[in-house]
Amino acid sequence: MPNFCRTMKPGLATSLLAAALLLLPPAAKAEHPDWHHGLSLVGELKYKPNFPHYDYVNPNAPKGGDVRLSNTGTFDTFNPILDRGEVAVGLALVFDTLMKSADDEISTAYGLLAEGVSFPADISSATFRLRQEAKWADGKPVTPEDVIFSFDKTKELNPLYSNYYKHVKSAEKTGERDVTFHFDEKNNHELPHILGQFLILPKHWWEGQGPDGKPRDINKTTLEPVMGSGPYKIASFSAGATIRYELRDDYWGKSLNVNVGHNNFGSISYTYFGDRDVEFEAFRSGNSDYWQENQASRWATGYDFPAVKDGRIKRESLPNPLRATGIMQALVPNMRRVPFNDERVRQALNYAFDFEEMNRTVFYNQYTRVDSYFWNTELASSGLPEGDELSILNEVKDKVPPEVFTTPYKNPVGGTPQAGRDNLRQAIALLMEAGYELKGNRMVEAKSGRPFSFEILLSSATLERVALPYAQNLKKIGIDARVRTVDPSQYTNRTRAFDYDMTWIVWGETLSPGNEQLDQWGSRAAKEPGSRNYAGIADAGVDALIEKVIFAKDRKALVAATKALDRVLLAHNFVVPLYYKKDMTIAYWDKFERPAELPTYGIGFPDIWWSKTAAAK
């Protein structure tokens, strides 16, 4: 599922949609479908019909107060679906979706704009029934036409969703409040679930006229404050610098069970910064209220100031958000370019990365090396394949590397002078196999004499503390690796166009991988600008295993297929795996209250927290 940091991006399970499938009507009664209040991809739904609220919220949380947040970069558009420009952070506050997830379950969703969903036994379609009370901010009802318009434009204008919803061939109005999505394949259990996730936009607003009297155009960026059906509205902004959202008193869904205890702040504002260190200083000085730390050295040594010492700023390390998230953070060579299309070259680049030395000298030993595309979850492969996983790999044996059956994946281990030298020797040997040689202190292509030289493209100067030592290590074996940090807009445009030699990417995976795998590793996505196949993977074995993940018949089969996919991705050395922490480290000014127990799979900030000022009133 999409999303991490941006992305971006996001699970699937036992009998994918098990609870719902148990209630499916017989074919003879297809004209009288059963309606389900929620969907689960991992076992049965926790919450029964007409539940009062999610267990982890405070249903009596006071409304009001403000929260000031920050973001790195800039923004130049409020168009939430267009794959162009820098989209303002926080726009999900303005728009509702058909369904809303629960943070104490893995991959479940309950009706938000939709009061129910139904589908036939072969899952060849899915029908959503809109709530009669659902309204836009201008008071007009949310209609099937709005849903169809939103879906069609999302697929048309955003390559990420074009791949994600690739097998949804059409949407049509099938009742006064019903919209039916038709699929071009059957038994893809995830499709009804992920259709609940895209933002629903008001067709009449986008096809109407703006304040200047000119027709609006959803195909273009815009800085006109957009209208939605969600709990907040855009109250004010300064282009590229600040944006402030205000809670709507007239929000149609404020008393809905999935919203009780949510949306508690009267306003949520964001200030943009061009530099992460300057952004931290704004937090430290009290100009923003919340900080998620991503720098190990600062977490270890950078909080020795009065507001922390006297308790005005609280610090916590929480495992909740990462309990259901698999992480692959990596330096990604672009295989669309020579010489990164040679696996031996990519493997050599991994041998030159000395994680253990960096962890000791830069990270205060706070990180763990990533060794799986689904790291830190039950979906990560390990050891040698066996059981169902082995059976799946045998089915595609002619399409996958033979070592997946004989050799467990392991990252090179450094950390000592001797280990570092041994790894660099191995890197040189691999490069020589790939047609390179050392001439003096330069690595050159043997046939042409062309030096091995490339650029590492970064989006933030913070990442240079890793990229620069890596470049120095590469220099030891004659490779000229240059580090270039660009502004967020340029980085976005270049990565959308795959205009880089190597870049730094974080993929976040849910515990229910499915259709998003096509966009990340599928051959078709390798050719589509704007996809998340940053490495340029186009491999028949990977494609075959993605299909097995998508069409897994139950949880057991899904886990086995995902481990098989993970193992093959690793065996090809597509990326240089980096590192991650198993806890989220946060700091915040002591102006908030929250439920006594946070949800199992999230921290709920700012959604279910509330203001102490509002509580006092």
Side-chain angles (χ1 to χ4, degrees):
M1 315 228 168
N3 197 2
F4 191 78
C5 292
R6 292 188 164 223
T7 132
M8 276 133 101
K9 185 181 192 226
L12 202 322
T14 15
S15 268
L16 300 155
L17 303 172
L21 289 174
L22 290 174
L23 300 174
L24 282 172
K29 296 183 179 179
E31 68 274 15
H32 301 295
D34 286 341
W35 293 95
H36 312 293
H37 72 291
L39 297 174
S40 173
L41 295 178
V42 182
E44 295 187 2
L45 292 166
K46 173 181 178 180
Y47 296 100
K48 305 306 178 186
N50 302 314
F51 65 95
H53 54 76
Y54 293 143
D55 289 346
Y56 52 83
V57 304
N58 172 10
N60 300 311
K63 307 289 184 182
D66 65 285
V67 57
R68 299 167 304 164
L69 305 176
S70 63
N71 202 58
T72 305
T74 186
F75 72 92
D76 58 13
T77 181
F78 293 135
N79 186 330
I81 64 170
L82 186 65
D83 186 37
R84 194 184 310 156
E86 291 291 322
V87 182
V89 67
L91 281 178
L93 297 168
V94 176
F95 298 97
D96 281 331
T97 51
L98 292 173
M99 307 192 81
K100 183 172 180 175
S101 62
D103 285 346
D104 57 348
E105 298 177 272
I106 298 171
S107 297
T108 62
Y110 298 87
L112 180 51
L113 283 173
E115 66 181 20
V117 57
S118 67
F119 39 85
D122 63 0
I123 318 181
S124 56
S125 65
T127 300
F128 291 82
R129 175 162 292 172
L130 298 173
R131 295 184 189 274
Q132 191 165 11
E133 66 270 30
K135 299 287 192 298
W136 298 107
D138 62 3
K140 294 183 178 180
V142 180
T143 66
E145 288 82 0
D146 294 317
V147 177
I148 295 167
F149 170 81
S150 303
F151 179 76
D152 288 345
K153 289 299 181 181
T154 297
K155 277 193 71 175
E156 174 189 340
L157 300 175
N158 195 310
L160 169 62
Y161 291 101
S162 176
N163 278 316
Y164 197 46
Y165 296 115
K166 168 184 167 183
H167 294 295
V168 185
K169 66 178 182 180
S170 65
E172 67 167 329
K173 181 177 180 179
T174 51
E176 182 183 358
R177 291 184 285 120
D178 296 353
V179 57
T180 297
F181 297 90
H182 298 282
F183 310 146
D184 66 4
E185 60 185 12
K186 298 178 181 179
N187 301 310
N188 185 334
H189 302 88
E190 192 186 29
L191 288 178
H193 187 90
I194 64 175
L195 281 167
Q197 299 172 346
F198 67 92
L199 301 179
I200 308 302
L201 313 180
K203 180 182 180 182
H204 69 279
W205 190 89
W206 283 99
E207 294 184 343
Q209 293 183 338
D212 58 2
K214 296 180 180 179
R216 298 186 180 98
D217 188 350
I218 199 169
N219 299 283
K220 297 180 180 179
T221 61
T222 181
L223 281 174
E224 179 187 355
V226 289
M227 184 189 75
S229 65
Y232 287 83
K233 64 181 179 181
I234 298 173
S236 61
F237 71 96
S238 175
T242 63
I243 180 169
R244 183 172 181 270
Y245 298 93
E246 283 185 0
L247 186 65
R248 289 176 45 210
D249 291 334
D250 59 349
Y251 173 45
W252 73 272
K254 67 173 67 176
S255 299
L256 206 62
N257 52 7
V258 294
N259 285 330
V260 170
H262 295 72
N263 309 314
N264 300 320
F265 290 99
S267 71
I268 299 175
S269 60
Y270 291 88
T271 300
Y272 281 78
F273 296 86
D275 182 89
R276 180 77 173 165
D277 291 331
V278 175
E279 187 181 353
F280 178 73
E281 287 305 313
F283 166 73
R284 172 176 165 155
S285 63
N287 290 317
S288 64
D289 300 323
Y290 176 88
W291 181 258
Q292 182 179 328
E293 187 57 78
N294 65 352
Q295 188 175 315
S297 59
R298 182 161 50 216
W299 188 252
T301 65
Y303 288 80
D304 186 23
F305 54 92
V308 175
K309 291 179 178 179
D310 62 25
R312 285 177 294 151
I313 286 180
K314 296 179 178 292
R315 295 205 304 161
E316 292 188 87
S317 185
L318 301 169
N320 306 49
L322 298 175
R323 286 173 177 158
T325 306
I327 298 293
M328 170 53 82
Q329 179 167 230
L331 287 166
V332 183
N334 187 352
M335 293 190 296
R336 303 169 185 85
R337 297 182 175 183
V338 176
F340 305 118
N341 57 337
D342 191 311
E343 184 175 329
R344 294 164 297 186
V345 171
R346 301 194 301 270
Q347 190 175 8
L349 294 175
N350 195 15
Y351 271 101
F353 184 78
D354 194 338
F355 163 74
E356 288 73 21
E357 180 67 11
M358 285 191 192
N359 200 29
R360 180 180 65 84
T361 59
V362 180
F363 303 143
Y364 294 80
N365 291 314
Q366 293 183 41
Y367 290 114
T368 302
R369 186 84 191 266
V370 170
D371 59 1
S372 167
Y373 285 75
F374 302 87
W375 178 77
N376 198 37
T377 72
E378 65 169 332
L379 302 173
S381 61
S382 62
L384 291 175
E386 56 185 24
D388 291 345
E389 182 191 354
L390 180 58
S391 298
I392 289 170
L393 287 168
N394 277 323
E395 291 175 17
V396 294
K397 194 169 187 176
D398 60 329
K399 296 183 177 72
V400 302
E403 55 266 30
V404 301
F405 298 96
T406 60
T407 309
Y409 177 83
K410 290 183 180 178
N411 285 309
V413 177
T416 67
Q418 183 61 49
R421 287 191 294 270
D422 290 345
N423 286 339
L424 291 179
R425 289 192 191 98
Q426 184 63 39
I428 292 171
L430 286 164
L431 290 168
M432 292 178 69
E433 287 181 26
Y436 286 84
E437 63 181 0
L438 268 174
K439 279 194 174 181
N441 60 355
R442 291 201 308 171
M443 184 68 66
V444 300
E445 188 180 41
K447 288 183 178 180
S448 66
R450 186 165 47 242
F452 191 165
S453 175
F454 69 94
E455 179 183 89
I456 303 174
L457 181 69
L458 302 178
S459 62
S460 170
T462 302
L463 307 178
E464 292 176 3
R465 68 189 70 237
V466 173
L468 289 173
Y470 179 51
Q472 284 297 111
N473 231 29
L474 289 169
K475 189 175 182 180
K476 293 177 183 177
I477 57 174
I479 297 176
D480 175 28
R482 304 172 308 282
V483 176
R484 185 179 182 192
T485 302
V486 298
D487 65 76
S489 294
Q490 185 177 352
Y491 182 79
T492 298
N493 290 333
R494 287 188 61 177
T495 51
R496 282 174 179 165
F498 307 130
D499 180 19
Y500 48 84
D501 297 326
M502 174 183 279
T503 191
W504 184 310
I505 296 294
V506 183
W507 287 281
E509 302 285 358
T510 72
L511 288 182
S512 297
N515 292 270
E516 77 286 346
Q517 303 299 302
L518 292 166
D519 187 65
Q520 295 172 167
W521 335 116
S523 296
R524 173 183 166 184
K527 301 176 183 178
E528 294 183 345
S531 80
R532 296 196 299 162
N533 190 341
Y534 300 106
I537 299 170
D539 181 84
V542 170
D543 290 341
L545 290 169
I546 290 173
E547 290 298 304
K548 291 186 178 296
V549 169
I550 292 173
F551 289 100
K553 66 181 185 299
D554 55 33
R555 181 67 184 175
K556 186 169 177 279
L558 176 70
V559 171
T562 305
K563 286 184 174 182
L565 173 62
D566 182 41
R567 193 180 298 277
V568 171
L569 289 170
L570 291 167
H572 280 294
N573 294 286
F574 290 133
V575 302
V576 178
L578 294 176
Y579 51 83
Y580 219 75
K581 293 178 71 172
K582 296 184 178 180
D583 289 353
M584 178 182 285
T585 45
I586 63 171
Y588 53 92
W589 284 85
D590 187 20
K591 56 181 289 186
F592 308 117
E593 293 180 350
R594 70 184 193 203
E597 187 172 343
L598 292 174
T600 308
Y601 302 110
I603 62 174
F605 182 87
D607 199 28
I608 63 171
W609 296 36
W610 60 92
S611 165
K612 282 186 174 181
T613 302
K617 291 181 180 178

